[in-house]
Amino acid sequence: CGFVSGFKKVQRGHDITETLPVITVDFALEVIPPQGGEIQISRIREMIYTLRDKLGINIEWVSFDQYQSADSIQVLRQKGFTTGIQSMDKTSVPYWVLKQALYDGRVVAPAHQKLQQELLALEFNVKRSKVDHTSQSSKDISDALAGMVFGLSRRRDTWARWNVNPFQEARLKSVELVHSG
């Protein structure tokens, strides 16, 4: 769970400056199914309602990775949430956005040992062209983080709320392009 807490100018070499969102993570949560059982998705929805309705957290957008999500998407939309699908298995772009945001120092997050372990164990599978985990690790929490950072970074309302024009965020001081034909 997180939000955009501001924007930061990031220098790319000496010729390019980009203005990009700073993502603040409120918390990262791992939901473990009971032994021999499965996660009750309705309980996850109840937690989301509690965060918004009883704790006052302004949750505007909830995304799913598609697995068993149609029902939750419908129910949450009826309760006033904006919902969507954000698969981490169809494209690696969310992970590249997360990686750059981490390198830029644009992700502010509380310490979370399992999340750190997952991030460190990730590897790029060239044959499948995707970011994946080893057989000894998982990537559920890192998937959630990558999806959140990617989603918040590309939402128009995020940029508009901070009065940043996403089409003019890259400022080129001087660039020489050479085409060798």
Side-chain angles (χ1 to χ4, degrees):
C1 183
F3 62 98
V4 173
S5 55
F7 275 73
K8 176 180 180 178
K9 292 191 181 300
V10 179
Q11 197 69 34
R12 304 273 185 236
H14 68 283
D15 291 342
I16 300 172
T17 301
E18 296 177 328
T19 304
L20 298 167
V22 175
I23 311 295
T24 297
V25 179
D26 291 310
F27 64 87
L29 175 67
E30 177 184 25
V31 179
I32 301 170
Q35 191 168 14
E38 55 187 32
I39 295 169
Q40 293 181 18
I41 304 300
S42 63
R43 302 278 316 267
I44 303 298
R45 290 193 306 266
E46 288 173 20
M47 180 188 68
I48 294 169
Y49 305 147
T50 299
L51 290 170
R52 182 187 68 179
D53 301 337
K54 294 183 179 174
L55 299 178
I57 296 175
N58 185 23
I59 299 174
E60 294 179 7
W61 173 57
V62 181
S63 66
F64 295 86
D65 69 356
Q66 217 162 4
Y67 179 71
Q68 297 181 342
S69 61
D71 180 59
S72 288
I73 287 173
Q74 292 171 2
V75 171
L76 288 170
R77 281 185 183 159
Q78 290 172 358
K79 295 284 189 179
F81 293 95
T82 300
T83 60
I85 300 290
Q86 182 58 65
S87 175
M88 298 294 109
D89 294 323
K90 291 184 178 179
T91 176
S92 294
V93 172
Y95 269 105
W96 301 131
V97 171
L98 171 61
K99 179 180 175 181
Q100 192 60 60
L102 289 168
Y103 284 164
D104 292 343
R106 296 185 293 108
V107 178
V108 180
H112 191 288
Q113 185 176 358
K114 178 75 181 270
L115 174 58
Q116 291 172 342
Q117 290 170 347
E118 284 187 6
L119 289 169
L120 291 171
L122 293 173
E123 50 189 38
F124 185 71
N125 183 319
V126 177
K127 289 180 182 176
R128 297 176 68 199
S129 189
K130 70 177 255 186
V131 174
D132 212 344
H133 59 91
T134 65
S135 60
Q136 293 83 31
S137 64
S138 61
K139 69 178 188 94
D140 294 327
I141 309 170
S142 60
D143 274 356
L145 179 64
M148 182 189 64
V149 169
F150 179 68
L152 288 172
S153 296
R154 68 187 183 112
R155 289 180 57 87
R156 289 183 191 168
D157 61 330
T158 296
W159 295 75
R161 185 174 292 140
W162 290 92
N163 201 27
V164 176
N165 185 338
F167 301 107
Q168 295 179 348
E169 55 80 26
R171 306 281 187 235
L172 303 180
K173 294 179 184 171
S174 63
V175 174
E176 183 178 323
L177 299 175
V178 178
H179 182 291
S180 58

